[in-house]
Amino acid sequence: MCSSSLIASSEKGRSRLQQLVQWCGPNFDGLVVFDECHKAKNLIPESGSQPTRTGNAVLELQEKLPEARVVYCSATGASEPRNMAYMVRLGLWGPGSSFEKFQEFLAALEKGGVGALELVAMEMKARGMYLCRTLSYNGAEFEVVEAPLDERMMEMYKKAAEFWTDLRVELISASAFFDDEKTNGSQLWRIYWASHQRFFRHLCMSAKVPTVVRLVKEALAHDKCVVVGLQSTGEARTEEAVSKYGSELDDFVSGPRELLLKFVEDHYPLPRRPDTIADEELEKENERKRPAASNDVSIRGRVRKVAKWQESSDEENVDDEYAPSDESDHESTESDDEFRICQVCNVEEEKTSLLHCSCCGKLVHPNCLVPPWTGPIDDDWSCHSCRDKTDEYFKARDQYVTELSERFENASGRKKNILDLIKSLDLPNNPLDDLIDQLGGPDNVAEITGRRGMLVRASGGRGVVYQARNSKDVTMEMINMHEKKQFMDGKKLIAIISEAGSAGVSLQADRRALNQRRRVHITLELPWSADRAIQQFGRTHRSNQTSAPQYRLLFTNLGGERRFASIVAKRLESLGALTQGDRRAGPSMSAFNFDSTYGRKALVAMYKGIMDQDRLLVLPPGCTVDNPSAISEFLTKAKAALVSVGIIRETGCSNGNGGKTPGRIVDSDMHDVARFLNRLLGLPPDIQNALFELFTSTLDEILHKARNEGQLDSGIVDIKANRIEMQGSPKTVHEDNLSGACTILFTFVVDRGITWEAAQEILETMKNSQTGSSNDGFYESKRDWMGKRHVMLAYEGSTPGLFKIIRPAVGEAVREMPLTELKSKYRKAFSIEKVHEGWQEEYDTSSKQCMHGPKCKVGSFCTVGKRLQEVNILGGLILPLWRIIEKALDNQTRQSHRRIRIVRLETTDDSQRIVGLLIPNAAVDHVLQGLSWDHSLELDED
């Protein structure tokens, strides 16, 4: 069954879920296959969101059919672990596992990082509960292409950013002045920031159009064809513009302008119209002044009502003389219609002799009034008091309405001025129409989107006209299939696809198609999620193709646009880890993954530096240590920029910091990388790029520190060495009673050292290559370490200015060293004999002891600088024992030994590959004790 169909209902109101449960019965033990199960992924969404109906329905069905066999089937993998919440039958959490609830399982995976996700995928495959097949990306090429903004676009972007800042100030003022019970301020700002993000995203897309045109023409010149991928087409805004301006326009519609106009027209806070308020107030006043029912009842009538009430409420206790008969009741009713009481003199009088006030409802004699009433009497007659009050009310109301009219007119005038300003802004055209026009029009471009019409250049070359996408020969429902056939037959060599129109469409270089040119897939707009990115990539990369596509990922030179790449990169990394047990399985975009643990740490550090709560970890762009005024000036600009996009909330009072910008950053914003990158997009390019550079430099510094301290989470770490041999036989340390799967302890001897001969050969190879540097060679440390100077080999890597380091004891270092650091700590050695002697001595000594010498405090467990190491890896069944292993590692003295690390190695003698948890030597006994204790408990329970 399709997972999303569970929430459908029949005509009688019964859901498909209820029908299915009734049909199966409570003892159903057959097979239930959840097709497209990724539709249930939001069962446990991120904070602030609600679970989806599909997720709840999938979970409920599994609960009501406890004996059923379950298969989860989807072509889209889980892009993050929280999307697995509905997969309760996997046994990864719940009774009998290490995690009582899914939230505990999720917390463990988040703590374990990407490596833990890879381990979960591999263990599920090993236990036979998971099968995953995917098309290899071998042959596919990925290239990030920068599309810089030209001078006109830079100026356009700057003015647009300034306009949004002014608009925010105007909305704050208008909301505060015109706020009433019908205005929802939080909703206004949600819509504002959503429109803000869409506006600048469309601006970035428009900025990339010239680069797309260039890449398309280059691809066609090399006998290739092109697919341009984007997510949205701006169809709704085009349709609205055509309805407003007509089907014939001077130029293409500007999507950003129409978005802005619609936002201001629909959401600018205005006071309610004065005529509406006046009518409502008058109605309320009339309701208040309407005569009460009791004012129109005589004494006889009141007595009669009381008597009747007594008769009906307590029949046994009524005195007969107070209980009137039907006849007397009838007579009294007739007299009540003719007589009333004057409410001044209390004398009963005929109804026609009394005056009746239409406002307060009083009944009075004309002579009882002061002064007596002698004027004419009509149906709207009012007493003196009501007449005075009514005059005062209408006078006050007229004054109030006049004030409201002025306020409404002023607000409407401001709104009109804003709309006129938007219309005068220089903003780009809709990128889709502009792109099709520059590439030769609909005759050359196959459009596979969800829109029904498009704007095309008029035949005379002047202006544009709106026309339907389909023709007389092709229906609207079949237009995308027709356009696809045109592309696959080679009649059109350019295709533009959107998410709405390309679902399930195959555009690869199929061997069965006439058009077998190699595809160049250009991403004009990246999707917001990894699974959608994979789906877009999959339009041109499918089975039975003659060649794999070339992917061109377009980005502007704006820091804020990296937000979209960040989201996709984070999901792609998790997607590869969860589906194939290897984060490197899919296209790599790790360079753009800013929304990570380290990214959040970098953001907090940067914010604290800008807010003068701590010092910055790095110098701001263009600043030097000897120029503090430049740093101060940058911080002032940075604060003003963050205030303008709502990151820094102004407190409205001085904080005693000597005139510095007051304000604060709320805790939720301090760690929100996505919000920072979102808001960054709305800043002028210069300060936007400067802030982004400061953020990335801070992130690099934090990553550098974590890497040096051995705390960097890089998923499954490959242990590489010159020699890796298994020591002894593997030991089975635990066996699962249910599945029979075993947990095995492997011990390896790893030799990381590099011989003198191997080092000389590496240096000789670098000298003979054209990429060698004059700084390549052997170096020795400037300072002594335990009476000796360390030697090493350094040569420039692929990045200019960064040098790879090879040491005698540990081989190639993970981190490349900048040239300035290399020269400050080491000096180039000129005596080969001296270097040879020092190299050999360090190589031999490191086989027995660490670099701290025989008196190391840690003892034999220390591996720092040790060439020969004993490595223990716990493989096989891991997840059911996760908590026991975690507890054993938490008791370790060294911080680096407490972290769960997943490693992969391959033996050099028999090429045996092992993946599992790295158990430090000092923690092996604690882990084994925990496993033995757990096993004994299981035996006792049996």
Side-chain angles (χ1 to χ4, degrees):
M1 85 191 71
C2 179
S3 301
S4 58
S5 66
L6 290 175
I7 61 176
S9 300
S10 66
E11 294 179 358
K12 297 180 180 180
R14 298 180 61 213
S15 68
R16 292 285 183 262
L17 174 62
Q18 293 171 331
Q19 296 174 2
L20 187 61
V21 171
Q22 182 182 7
W23 182 83
C24 292
N27 298 322
F28 178 76
D29 61 352
L31 179 64
V32 176
V33 180
F34 290 105
D35 190 24
E36 301 291 341
C37 64
H38 64 275
K39 299 284 187 180
K41 66 181 182 178
N42 288 324
L43 178 61
I44 299 184
E46 297 181 1
S47 59
S49 303
Q50 297 295 324
T52 58
R53 292 173 58 198
T54 303
N56 285 327
V58 169
L59 183 63
E60 184 179 350
L61 180 62
Q62 296 176 89
E63 292 174 348
K64 291 187 175 181
L65 301 178
E67 301 298 325
R69 277 77 167 166
V70 174
V71 173
Y72 307 105
C73 179
S74 175
T76 302
S79 56
E80 56 179 312
R82 71 172 58 250
N83 292 345
M84 300 173 64
Y86 63 91
M87 301 181 183
V88 292
R89 295 297 182 90
L90 297 180
L92 300 178
W93 60 90
S97 68
S98 289
F99 312 100
E100 183 178 349
K101 297 180 180 179
F102 174 75
Q103 285 79 358
E104 296 177 4
F105 172 77
L106 180 62
L109 291 190
E110 290 177 345
K111 183 179 180 181
V114 179
L117 305 183
E118 294 174 324
L119 187 68
V120 168
M122 290 187 296
E123 184 162 320
M124 288 169 61
K125 289 181 180 180
R127 292 165 65 178
M129 66 169 66
Y130 182 45
L131 178 64
C132 173
R133 293 182 180 180
T134 185
L135 187 64
S136 170
Y137 276 89
N138 287 338
E141 301 175 12
F142 287 84
E143 180 184 353
V144 176
V145 180
E146 185 176 279
L149 275 67
D150 57 28
E151 190 171 327
R152 174 177 173 267
M153 184 60 72
M154 288 283 282
E155 185 64 24
M156 186 185 300
Y157 200 103
K158 179 182 178 182
K159 290 184 177 180
E162 292 172 350
F163 173 82
W164 275 94
T165 300
D166 295 339
L167 178 61
R168 177 172 173 267
V169 174
E170 173 66 24
L171 290 177
I172 291 174
S173 174
S175 299
F177 193 63
F178 300 127
D179 192 24
D180 59 24
E181 68 277 2
K182 294 186 177 181
T183 302
N184 191 336
S186 60
Q187 182 181 2
L188 169 65
W189 292 115
R190 281 196 298 270
I191 297 172
Y192 172 86
W193 290 118
S195 303
H196 180 273
Q197 184 174 338
R198 285 196 298 270
F199 176 89
F200 286 104
R201 187 180 67 182
H202 283 296
L203 215 57
C204 290
M205 287 171 56
S206 300
K208 288 182 277 191
V209 167
T211 303
V212 173
V213 173
R214 175 177 59 81
L215 292 175
V216 168
K217 292 180 178 179
E218 289 177 359
L220 295 178
H222 289 85
D223 201 28
K224 300 173 184 177
C225 61
V226 181
V227 175
V228 180
L230 67 160
Q231 290 304 107
S232 56
T233 61
E235 175 188 8
R237 282 178 288 280
T238 301
E239 296 283 357
E240 290 173 3
V242 170
S243 65
K244 283 193 298 185
Y245 310 127
S247 59
E248 296 185 6
L249 304 169
D250 294 335
D251 203 348
F252 292 109
V253 172
S254 172
R257 176 179 288 108
E258 295 303 317
L259 186 149
L260 251 178
L261 288 171
K262 181 171 178 55
F263 170 73
V264 174
E265 286 173 351
D266 293 349
H267 302 289
Y268 185 88
L270 287 176
R272 291 160 62 194
R273 297 186 66 88
D275 50 354
T276 304
I277 295 177
D279 292 341
E280 290 179 358
E281 291 293 329
L282 183 59
E283 180 65 24
K284 291 179 182 179
E285 183 66 16
N286 289 337
E287 287 286 342
R288 184 179 65 82
K289 293 183 177 182
R290 279 176 185 162
S294 60
N295 290 338
D296 200 29
V297 179
S298 67
I299 292 178
R300 294 179 184 178
R302 293 176 194 170
V303 171
R304 177 182 60 80
K305 289 189 176 182
V306 171
K308 291 190 69 175
W309 173 82
Q310 290 174 341
E311 180 181 13
S312 62
S313 62
D314 193 1
E315 196 171 354
E316 296 179 350
N317 296 330
V318 173
D319 238 339
D320 290 339
E321 63 176 319
Y322 291 108
S325 66
D326 291 339
E327 293 181 1
S328 62
D329 186 38
H330 177 69
E331 292 174 357
S332 65
T333 303
E334 289 180 353
S335 63
D336 285 343
D337 290 336
E338 299 173 2
F339 293 90
R340 292 291 185 273
I341 297 174
C342 175
Q343 291 180 269
V344 176
C345 65
N346 290 328
V347 175
E348 191 169 13
E349 190 68 70
E350 291 184 6
K351 183 178 179 180
T352 55
S353 301
L354 299 175
L355 297 178
H356 180 257
C357 179
S358 62
C359 291
C360 65
K362 287 183 179 181
L363 291 167
V364 294
H365 290 105
N367 293 329
C368 289
L369 292 174
V370 180
W373 183 264
T374 58
I377 301 173
D378 52 23
D379 293 338
D380 294 331
W381 180 85
S382 299
C383 64
H384 298 307
S385 176
C386 290
R387 195 175 290 272
D388 293 341
K389 290 179 179 178
T390 302
D391 291 342
E392 292 177 5
Y393 163 74
F394 280 111
K395 182 178 180 181
R397 192 200 69 173
D398 291 342
Q399 184 177 356
Y400 177 57
V401 169
T402 302
E403 293 177 359
L404 287 182
S405 300
E406 292 178 358
R407 289 171 58 185
F408 183 82
E409 292 300 326
N410 291 336
S412 299
R414 281 194 294 272
K415 178 179 177 179
K416 183 180 182 301
N417 291 337
I418 294 173
L419 293 173
D420 292 340
L421 183 58
I422 293 173
K423 293 174 183 177
S424 68
L425 286 175
D426 184 17
L427 292 172
N429 296 326
N430 181 32
L432 179 56
D433 289 326
D434 195 15
L435 191 59
I436 293 175
D437 181 59
Q438 293 193 44
L439 294 176
D443 294 337
N444 293 338
V445 180
E447 180 184 338
I448 307 175
T449 67
R451 66 179 187 168
R452 304 178 64 86
M454 56 184 173
L455 292 171
V456 296
R457 186 71 61 184
S459 57
R462 290 186 176 183
V464 296
V465 294
Y466 180 80
Q467 68 179 36
R469 284 182 56 214
N470 66 317
S471 61
K472 295 181 180 179
D473 300 330
V474 183
T475 63
M476 185 61 70
E477 290 72 19
M478 295 300 298
I479 184 60
N480 282 339
M481 291 298 100
H482 174 74
E483 292 288 280
K484 173 207 167 185
K485 189 176 186 304
Q486 295 272 300
F487 177 77
M488 297 301 284
D489 290 346
K491 296 179 181 179
K492 296 181 180 181
L493 298 178
I494 307 167
I496 298 181
I497 63 174
S498 72
E499 182 184 19
S502 64
V505 173
S506 300
L507 300 174
Q508 80 276 21
D510 199 311
R511 299 178 189 276
R512 300 164 294 185
L514 296 176
N515 178 12
Q516 296 185 10
R517 295 188 181 196
R518 188 175 189 184
R519 272 52 171 166
V520 177
H521 189 134
I522 302 173
T523 59
L524 178 64
E525 178 189 14
L526 267 178
W528 286 27
S529 61
D531 46 5
R532 291 183 179 180
I534 291 295
Q535 285 178 353
Q536 189 189 116
F537 295 155
R539 299 305 107 215
T540 54
H541 184 55
R542 304 174 83 83
S543 58
N544 198 41
Q545 59 189 13
T546 58
S547 59
Q550 294 176 315
Y551 291 100
R552 302 290 182 260
L553 310 180
L554 260 65
F555 294 102
T556 63
N557 55 344
L558 296 169
E561 204 196 2
R562 305 290 173 154
R563 182 268 192 276
F564 308 112
S566 173
I567 292 297
V568 176
K570 179 182 179 182
R571 298 294 188 264
L572 283 176
E573 202 169 82
S574 300
L575 187 65
L578 278 172
T579 55
Q580 295 181 280
D582 189 351
R583 67 194 179 282
R584 304 164 298 181
S588 176
M589 295 182 65
S590 296
F592 303 103
N593 187 9
F594 305 113
D595 196 0
S596 62
T597 302
Y598 303 104
R600 289 186 285 274
K601 289 181 179 179
L603 186 67
V604 171
M606 183 188 73
Y607 279 161
K608 287 185 175 180
I610 291 175
M611 298 297 291
D612 299 319
Q613 297 173 3
D614 204 347
R615 69 176 188 84
L616 288 170
L617 298 182
V618 295
L619 286 172
C623 298
T624 57
V625 180
D626 54 355
N627 190 2
S629 61
I631 298 176
S632 178
E633 182 180 353
F634 175 87
L635 293 179
T636 301
K637 291 181 179 179
K639 290 175 186 176
L642 294 178
V643 167
S644 69
V645 292
I647 295 293
I648 296 180
R649 318 284 179 91
E650 294 181 282
T651 57
C653 59
S654 177
N655 54 8
N657 288 340
K660 296 180 180 179
T661 303
R664 65 186 182 92
I665 301 177
V666 297
D667 293 339
S668 58
D669 287 349
M670 285 291 285
H671 302 83
D672 197 334
V673 177
R675 175 164 293 182
F676 165 69
L677 295 174
N678 275 344
R679 302 291 174 83
L680 199 65
L681 204 60
L683 292 175
D686 52 353
I687 187 64
Q688 178 182 152
N689 290 338
L691 275 173
F692 182 75
E693 185 179 343
L694 177 62
F695 170 69
T696 53
S697 299
T698 306
L699 176 59
D700 290 340
E701 181 66 22
I702 289 176
L703 289 173
H704 172 71
K705 183 179 179 181
R707 189 178 291 110
N708 288 345
E709 294 176 352
Q711 300 294 323
L712 183 64
D713 173 27
S714 53
I716 293 183
V717 178
D718 290 300
I719 296 179
K720 297 180 180 180
N722 294 324
R723 183 171 62 90
I724 301 177
E725 296 178 356
M726 187 177 295
Q727 187 177 26
S729 300
K731 301 176 183 178
T732 300
V733 297
H734 179 79
E735 182 175 345
D736 185 61
N737 291 336
L738 182 62
S739 63
C742 297
T743 306
I744 302 172
L745 180 65
F746 300 90
T747 303
F748 300 91
V749 174
V750 177
D751 186 353
R752 302 185 296 169
I754 297 290
T755 63
W756 169 252
E757 292 74 17
Q760 282 187 310
E761 184 177 345
I762 293 172
L763 181 60
E764 191 66 26
T765 302
M766 295 304 301
K767 287 182 178 180
N768 294 334
S769 67
Q770 297 181 353
T771 59
S773 168
S774 59
N775 293 305
D776 295 349
F778 291 99
Y779 286 77
E780 63 177 4
S781 59
K782 293 181 178 180
R783 298 178 60 183
D784 290 349
W785 176 264
M786 299 181 66
K788 301 175 183 178
R789 294 182 184 270
H790 288 294
V791 294
M792 66 180 190
L793 171 63
Y795 63 92
E796 193 170 33
S798 57
T799 305
L802 292 178
F803 284 74
K804 293 185 179 295
I805 305 300
I806 295 179
R807 303 181 189 275
V810 297
E812 184 176 335
V814 176
R815 184 181 71 90
E816 294 183 351
M817 187 178 294
L819 180 61
T820 53
E821 182 182 351
L822 177 66
K823 290 188 174 183
S824 65
K825 296 180 179 179
Y826 300 88
R827 56 171 170 254
K828 203 166 185 179
F830 296 100
S831 173
I832 296 297
E833 293 78 9
K834 186 176 180 182
V835 172
H836 181 196
E837 180 182 347
W839 191 284
Q840 193 64 45
E841 182 181 359
E842 191 170 337
Y843 181 85
D844 294 336
T845 305
S846 60
S847 64
K848 302 176 183 179
Q849 64 183 32
C850 65
M851 67 178 295
H852 305 117
K855 296 182 180 180
C856 178
K857 296 179 181 180
V858 182
S860 60
F861 293 138
C862 183
T863 58
V864 179
K866 196 173 184 179
R867 179 167 64 86
L868 294 179
Q869 293 186 15
E870 188 178 90
V871 175
N872 301 284
I873 296 179
L874 203 62
L877 189 67
I878 299 295
L879 278 181
L881 310 173
W882 189 279
R883 284 295 180 88
I884 299 170
I885 299 169
E886 194 175 43
K887 183 178 180 181
L889 295 181
D890 284 342
N891 294 328
Q892 297 306 301
T893 305
R894 299 189 66 182
Q895 184 68 30
S896 59
H897 289 171
R898 298 176 186 173
R899 187 164 56 92
I900 291 181
R901 298 174 61 191
I902 297 92
V903 296
R904 179 195 296 113
L905 60 75
E906 182 176 353
T907 56
T908 54
D909 52 348
D910 56 0
S911 299
Q912 184 178 358
R913 297 187 68 186
I914 303 295
V915 179
L917 294 181
L918 177 65
I919 308 298
N921 294 339
V924 171
D925 290 339
H926 293 86
V927 172
L928 294 180
Q929 288 174 10
L931 296 178
S932 299
W933 175 76
D934 180 74
H935 189 55
S936 65
L937 275 185
E938 291 178 353
L939 293 177
D940 291 341
E941 291 176 358
D942 294 340

